[in-house]
Amino acid sequence: MRDCFCTINLDQEEVYRTQVVEKSLSPFFSEEFYFEIPRTFQYLSFYVYDKNVLQRDLRIGKVAIKKEDLCNHSGKETWFLLQPVDSNSEVQGKVHLELKLNELITENGTVCQQLVVHIVSCHGLPLINGQSCDPYATVSLVGPSRNDQKKTKVKKKTSNPQFNEIFYFEVTRSSSYTRKSQFQVEEEDIEKLEIRIDLWNNGNLVQDIFLGEIKVPVNVLRNDSSHQAWYLLQPRDNGNKSSKTDDLGSLRLNICYTEDYVLPSEYYGPLKTLLLKSPDVQPISASAAYILGEICRDKNDAVLPLVRLLLHHDKLVPFATAVAELDLKDTQDANTIFRGNSLATRCLDEMMKIVGGHYLKVTLKPILDEICESSKSCEIDPIKLKEGDNVENNKENLRYYVDKLFSTIVKSSMSCPTVMCDTFYSLRQMATQRFPNDPHVQYSAVSSFVFLRFFAVAVVSPHTFHLRPHHPDAQTIRTLTLISKTIQTLGSWGSLSKSKSSFKETFMCEFFKMFQEERYIIAVKKFLDEISSTETKESSGTSEPVHLKEGEMYKRAQGRTRIGKKNFKKRWFCLTSRELTYHKQPGSKDAIYTIPVKNILAVEKLEESSFNKKNMFQVIHMEKPLYVQANNCVEANEWIDVLCRVSRCNQNRLSFYHPSAYLNGNWLCCLETSENALGCKPCTAGVPADIQIDIDEDRETERIYSLFTLSLLKLQKMEEACGTIAVYQGPQKEPDDYSNFVIEDSVTTFKTIKQIKSIIEKLDEPHEKYRKKRSTSAKYGSKENPIVGKTS
């Protein structure tokens, strides 16, 4: 049996890893990672490891998917066969090469030919053990009976080395020269020769590590005396040839990959205007936003960009209210209110995820941490009890957790975001109007969201809501499931004032009797009253700071030096809504250094050339800039993003900054000698955001344009259905064409569809221009479109 874990890599750079599943040959990870990709890449790779305590972890196998093939797998759950991992096949990066052919006249007057190889630079070499490598190249002229090899100097701590070295090789001997051939290289010689460039990481005291190779046949110069191009590094000759591929097992992945080309803002005006008008359209089913939800293959694809865009412009509450009202028309039983999976419920689910993140952290995280980090057994199912378990003790443990969690939730109304409160208020009013004779429906309309779809879901899968770093183990999941079931029943039981619980299992019915007291019903109703009122929420000034992000990174020493050099040290960073601190180890109470969030003036990337280190950023504050190195590009991006958001509204934010460090008496970027000199580059963060989250509305509108484009056939069918309904005054002919669509007013819906199609057609033009420009501008052999060399 093995202790397995997986890593997710962009090329050779690890960006995430799962937790270890112990003693299993069929590990179940069930972990979800969502991330923006901050740089270009060739492969998205997944490595499966066997954890080894004393030695290096053993790489069992890998799945590597080319960037171009990601779209083919997007949205599908697929089993991929694991491929063998071989150090000779693990390559990334590209090489810039120039070749020339010179004629030389020797001392005795004969002519020979000389090959000039200029190795200019490399780009995007891998990190070795998380740090930039020490690369060098060997340059060889290889033929049937020759192998002349030369070597560049070692470049220290860089993934983008500038070699700029020239090597000379004799191609033809003077004896092979005849008048007939003039100054051309003889065909039989040139066909057999090739230049081979091998990249290595200098290991100093240990073995050098192979980084990749390229092979260029000398006959590329047959029709031209010079040739220059960028080449992608390839695996070595013997890479991946020794192992069988069918005995390593397989990995099940569900990848969702989207890639959009976002045009300048002025292109999106008409589409944005049409979407933002949606809440005011009568009926709501004739609005552009509702139609998008109707025609998308998966409603979830439409919901995320739509919710973010409407939220950014304060239009979500009226839109969600209008589509929820449509749901209520079809609801016959008050007990099933908002239990379906409609556009309304999905929009509200997504809204709660986006704006309720901080609320969940403040409310649930401390208790969930306690549950996950303790090993108290809470199993109360007699069939699942382990030997030696005491069911009464387990019941007490479970009751303790449920009580603690319930108490925290019902006291948390002051932390509930205003957008959620406004939405709950609208739902409550509508439910009362729809079922005027049911006094409890005003509560169940709200509890079906806040308990059933918000708190209960976050309790059972805390990793999905970023409340825990990993998927919990099997025993903890069972505990969380039992707590979640009880909490959601308490919420609905309290709101519906039922005398019986709705549990199917006898043991849960027995357990729930402990909570069938009036005080629980009163507490639920009071909480639901508070979060569905229109009074503005003002959080108390003494509230606890919200924990936003933490993790291990390297920071440059602020003051002390060692032999004249400022050193980098590993530290545990922790960011809350009030301060950024770092400690010597996780969980330490004493911070070595603290920066109040209100003192942060800017957060920006730091140029790699400053310290020859990748993934660096700087936190500019009242004192000296803090220079930090993250473990990978995704983590660096996430830290910059969260730090920018939390400090966005600070009064003294900078407009300009220095993209490089201040070293040896001057700024490396602009060479200014004063440490207090004004920055030489505009800061990237724009004006303070007017909402809790920062949304790129152009990007969301582009995503919606892409979805409309993908669903044009369905849009066409919906347009035809409107025509059919208008002509026949109802669904009398060919009902299959439109029975799946909600069309309340065929004339208004038809007009909206016409507007959507017209806007999409206009947007198609700049996209097509961009695609053509992109396909013709990147010449094959350029840095953007390097040559894929010979592979073995």
Side-chain angles (χ1 to χ4, degrees):
M1 304 301 263
R2 287 172 151 171
D3 298 340
C4 298
F5 68 91
C6 278
T7 66
I8 303 174
N9 295 50
L10 290 172
D11 297 323
Q12 300 303 299
E13 185 180 9
E14 182 187 317
V15 292
Y16 284 110
R17 67 169 55 193
T18 67
Q19 66 176 1
V20 178
V21 175
E22 294 181 345
K23 294 182 176 54
S24 174
L25 293 179
S26 302
F28 182 70
F29 297 105
S30 184
E31 295 209 42
E32 219 171 85
F33 300 94
Y34 169 83
F35 59 102
E36 304 285 324
I37 298 177
R39 63 170 177 83
T40 54
F41 68 104
Q42 285 176 255
Y43 287 91
L44 180 66
S45 304
F46 303 84
Y47 290 82
V48 180
Y49 284 84
D50 182 6
K51 183 80 179 164
N52 196 319
V53 179
L54 301 173
Q55 298 171 339
R56 263 181 94 177
D57 299 328
L58 173 71
R59 289 199 282 197
I60 298 169
K62 71 172 181 180
V63 172
I65 304 168
K66 273 187 179 175
K67 182 188 174 187
E68 299 78 50
D69 298 335
L70 279 170
C71 293
N72 303 333
H73 302 292
S74 186
K76 300 171 191 167
E77 203 169 86
T78 314
W79 282 101
F80 293 88
L81 281 176
L82 287 175
Q83 303 298 321
V85 181
D86 175 338
S87 57
N88 289 326
S89 69
E90 301 296 289
V91 300
Q92 72 172 61
K94 46 198 167 191
V95 182
H96 188 196
L97 194 66
E98 285 184 25
L99 301 179
K100 274 187 190 170
L101 214 50
N102 289 342
E103 292 93 19
L104 295 180
I105 299 175
T106 60
E107 289 175 4
N108 62 4
T110 58
V111 175
C112 70
Q113 297 222 325
Q114 185 186 57
L115 182 66
V116 183
V117 181
H118 181 191
I119 178 160
V120 185
S121 60
C122 292
H123 185 83
L125 297 180
L127 300 177
I128 306 291
N129 299 325
Q131 300 296 312
S132 293
C133 52
D134 296 339
Y136 71 89
T138 58
V139 183
S140 312
L141 180 65
V142 183
S145 57
R146 63 192 293 182
N147 188 350
D148 305 340
Q149 190 179 87
K150 301 181 181 189
K151 183 179 163 184
T152 67
K153 290 173 183 166
V154 175
K155 297 292 178 182
K156 291 282 185 185
K157 297 280 176 265
T158 176
S159 297
N160 304 315
Q162 300 289 323
F163 291 111
N164 210 17
E165 292 192 43
I166 298 173
F167 301 95
Y168 300 92
F169 297 92
E170 193 181 73
V171 177
T172 58
R173 314 240 187 284
S174 52
S175 59
S176 68
Y177 170 74
T178 63
R179 284 179 183 280
K180 187 181 172 186
S181 69
Q182 296 298 323
F183 295 109
Q184 298 301 312
V185 178
E186 290 183 349
E187 290 294 321
E188 59 266 33
D189 286 348
I190 202 166
E191 290 298 336
K192 296 168 187 171
L193 293 174
E194 67 181 11
I195 284 290
R196 197 171 83 192
I197 312 282
D198 289 83
L199 264 293
W200 298 86
N201 178 58
N202 183 37
N204 290 323
L205 301 174
V206 294
Q207 191 177 354
D208 292 355
I209 297 171
F210 176 74
L211 300 177
E213 69 173 24
I214 62 164
K215 294 175 179 178
V216 184
V218 176
N219 66 11
V220 294
L221 293 164
R222 187 190 294 161
N223 302 318
D224 208 341
S225 61
S226 69
H227 167 80
Q228 72 154 327
W230 283 86
Y231 284 84
L232 276 180
L233 284 168
Q234 297 297 323
R236 215 181 198 168
D237 282 358
N238 61 351
N240 275 353
K241 285 191 180 172
S242 56
S243 308
K244 290 182 181 177
T245 56
D246 57 353
D247 57 355
L248 298 175
S250 47
L251 182 66
R252 184 158 55 127
L253 299 169
N254 190 345
I255 301 164
C256 293
Y257 175 74
T258 55
E259 186 179 281
D260 291 313
Y261 302 112
V262 184
L263 302 169
S265 298
E266 60 266 22
Y267 288 97
Y268 297 112
L271 181 56
K272 212 183 296 177
T273 305
L274 186 64
L275 289 162
L276 294 175
K277 277 183 186 170
S278 294
D280 307 318
V281 174
Q282 293 287 341
I284 193 69
S285 60
S287 68
Y290 193 91
I291 289 168
L292 177 69
E294 281 286 275
I295 61 171
C296 271
R297 187 168 58 88
D298 185 348
K299 272 190 172 64
N300 287 336
D301 290 343
V303 164
L304 180 60
L306 203 53
V307 166
R308 290 169 73 88
L309 186 68
L310 293 171
L311 198 56
H312 188 67
H313 289 275
D314 292 329
K315 297 276 187 179
L316 183 66
V317 176
F319 177 74
T321 305
V323 289
E325 197 166 9
L326 202 58
D327 268 15
L328 280 171
K329 282 183 187 175
D330 296 331
T331 307
Q332 303 307 317
D333 182 358
N335 290 329
T336 62
I337 193 166
F338 299 128
R339 291 294 173 99
N341 210 2
S342 63
L343 182 65
T345 56
R346 289 184 195 194
C347 280
L348 290 173
D349 284 351
E350 200 54 56
M351 177 271 284
M352 291 190 296
K353 265 188 197 173
I354 294 170
V355 303
H358 285 186
Y359 179 32
L360 284 176
K361 276 182 179 165
V362 174
T363 313
L364 300 184
K365 190 170 179 7
I367 303 163
L368 290 174
D369 286 344
E370 183 187 335
I371 295 166
C372 293
E373 284 158 23
S374 74
S375 53
K376 286 182 182 176
S377 175
C378 296
E379 185 54 75
I380 56 172
D381 182 352
I383 298 166
K384 292 185 179 178
L385 284 173
K386 291 179 185 171
E387 198 176 330
D389 271 3
N390 182 318
V391 73
E392 290 306 316
N393 284 352
N394 291 1
K395 208 176 272 188
E396 277 309 306
N397 291 340
L398 188 59
R399 176 167 190 174
Y400 165 76
Y401 286 141
V402 169
D403 263 333
K404 194 167 182 180
L405 205 61
F406 177 80
S407 173
T408 310
I409 289 171
V410 294
K411 289 175 185 170
S412 69
S413 61
M414 287 303 284
S415 304
C416 188
T418 310
V419 178
M420 284 173 66
C421 296
D422 291 346
T423 310
F424 295 151
Y425 174 76
S426 299
L427 294 177
R428 187 174 173 171
Q429 299 301 109
M430 286 190 302
T432 308
Q433 286 169 10
R434 175 74 179 86
F435 298 103
N437 299 324
D438 189 327
H440 304 298
V441 75
Q442 58 173 318
Y443 296 112
S444 58
V446 179
S447 73
S448 62
F449 283 103
V450 77
F451 277 102
L452 190 67
R453 294 172 173 268
F454 188 58
F455 286 122
V457 181
V459 168
V460 86
S461 56
H463 57 294
T464 308
F465 290 82
H466 308 293
L467 300 173
R468 294 287 300 169
H470 291 292
H471 188 72
D473 60 54
Q475 183 181 313
T476 310
I477 289 171
R478 178 65 181 158
T479 300
L480 293 174
T481 304
L482 294 171
I483 295 168
S484 177
K485 279 183 171 187
T486 315
I487 289 291
Q488 72 186 54
T489 309
L490 264 174
S492 60
W493 182 75
S495 62
L496 295 173
S497 196
K498 289 179 181 174
S499 56
K500 289 183 180 178
S501 68
S502 56
F503 290 113
K504 293 172 187 170
E505 307 100 326
T506 314
F507 65 88
M508 282 302 291
C509 291
E510 285 300 310
F511 174 68
F512 195 73
K513 284 177 182 174
M514 293 181 173
F515 301 94
Q516 287 180 317
E517 297 175 21
E518 189 66 25
R519 65 188 176 98
Y520 287 102
I521 295 175
I522 293 166
V524 168
K525 286 186 173 177
K526 181 173 180 289
F527 170 67
L528 295 173
D529 279 336
E530 287 167 353
I531 62 166
S532 57
S533 72
T534 52
E535 293 170 21
T536 53
K537 299 272 172 288
E538 286 186 22
S539 56
S540 154
T542 58
S543 65
E544 284 295 304
V546 180
H547 176 278
L548 299 173
K549 189 169 174 65
E550 63 181 339
E552 202 167 60
M553 295 189 288
Y554 291 85
K555 62 96 203 169
R556 185 174 184 250
Q558 287 286 294
R560 292 174 292 104
T561 61
R562 185 174 62 187
I563 326 174
K565 269 193 170 181
K566 293 201 174 179
N567 56 336
F568 280 82
K569 291 211 170 160
K570 196 184 275 188
R571 292 287 180 260
W572 187 263
F573 282 78
C574 184
L575 175 68
T576 69
S577 50
R578 288 191 194 162
E579 60 190 23
L580 173 68
T581 55
Y582 58 78
H583 314 254
K584 277 192 173 170
Q585 65 246 345
S588 170
K589 299 293 181 193
D590 302 320
I592 297 175
Y593 197 75
T594 301
I595 303 173
V597 162
K598 63 182 182 185
N599 290 354
I600 295 176
L601 307 177
V603 183
E604 299 287 348
K605 287 182 180 176
L606 189 71
E607 286 179 357
E608 187 184 328
S609 56
S610 298
F611 300 105
N612 278 333
K613 289 179 185 290
K614 274 183 172 293
N615 307 320
M616 286 204 69
F617 63 93
Q618 50 183 321
V619 182
I620 305 164
H621 57 110
M622 300 296 190
E623 297 172 34
K624 291 181 179 180
L626 175 65
Y627 298 131
V628 184
Q629 183 190 24
N631 293 315
N632 58 62
C633 59
V634 171
E635 197 180 292
N637 221 41
E638 288 175 354
W639 272 103
I640 293 168
D641 187 48
V642 72
L643 281 162
C644 279
R645 286 187 193 186
V646 77
S647 62
R648 219 177 175 95
C649 298
N650 288 354
Q651 286 186 340
N652 299 319
R653 279 190 69 88
L654 296 178
S655 302
F656 290 87
Y657 77 106
H658 292 283
S660 281
Y662 184 79
L663 292 173
N664 304 324
N666 64 268
W667 292 98
L668 298 180
C669 40
C670 57
L671 304 179
E672 282 281 348
T673 52
S674 167
E675 201 167 352
N676 299 320
L678 185 69
C680 55
K681 191 175 177 181
C683 287
T684 51
V687 292
D690 57 349
I691 197 165
Q692 308 96 308
I693 52 169
D694 179 32
I695 291 171
D696 182 343
E697 52 182 329
D698 293 337
R699 182 175 161 175
E700 304 305 336
T701 314
E702 170 61 36
R703 184 92 284 268
I704 291 168
Y705 156 77
S706 297
L707 292 169
F708 272 130
T709 308
L710 288 169
S711 310
L712 274 177
L713 275 174
K714 271 203 171 178
L715 195 65
Q716 184 69 38
K717 276 196 170 184
M718 198 175 191
E719 186 180 31
E720 288 165 9
C722 289
T724 306
I725 291 166
V727 170
Y728 294 101
Q729 285 86 43
Q732 295 167 13
K733 284 227 172 182
E734 301 169 24
D736 287 348
D737 279 354
Y738 50 83
S739 56
N740 295 327
F741 300 123
V742 174
I743 302 172
E744 294 177 288
D745 182 331
S746 57
V747 177
T748 313
T749 307
F750 187 83
K751 279 181 187 171
T752 308
I753 292 171
K754 279 286 183 200
Q755 284 178 289
I756 293 168
K757 285 175 76 177
S758 167
I759 289 168
I760 297 305
E761 278 171 25
K762 282 179 186 165
L763 263 173
D764 282 342
E765 292 171 23
H767 279 88
E768 193 52 42
K769 270 186 192 171
Y770 175 76
R771 271 192 286 272
K772 280 183 182 171
K773 184 183 170 190
R774 191 164 172 266
S775 60
T776 54
S777 62
K779 182 183 161 193
Y780 191 49
S782 65
K783 191 174 182 180
E784 295 73 31
N785 189 12
I787 294 170
V788 180
K790 281 186 2 183
T791 53
S792 301

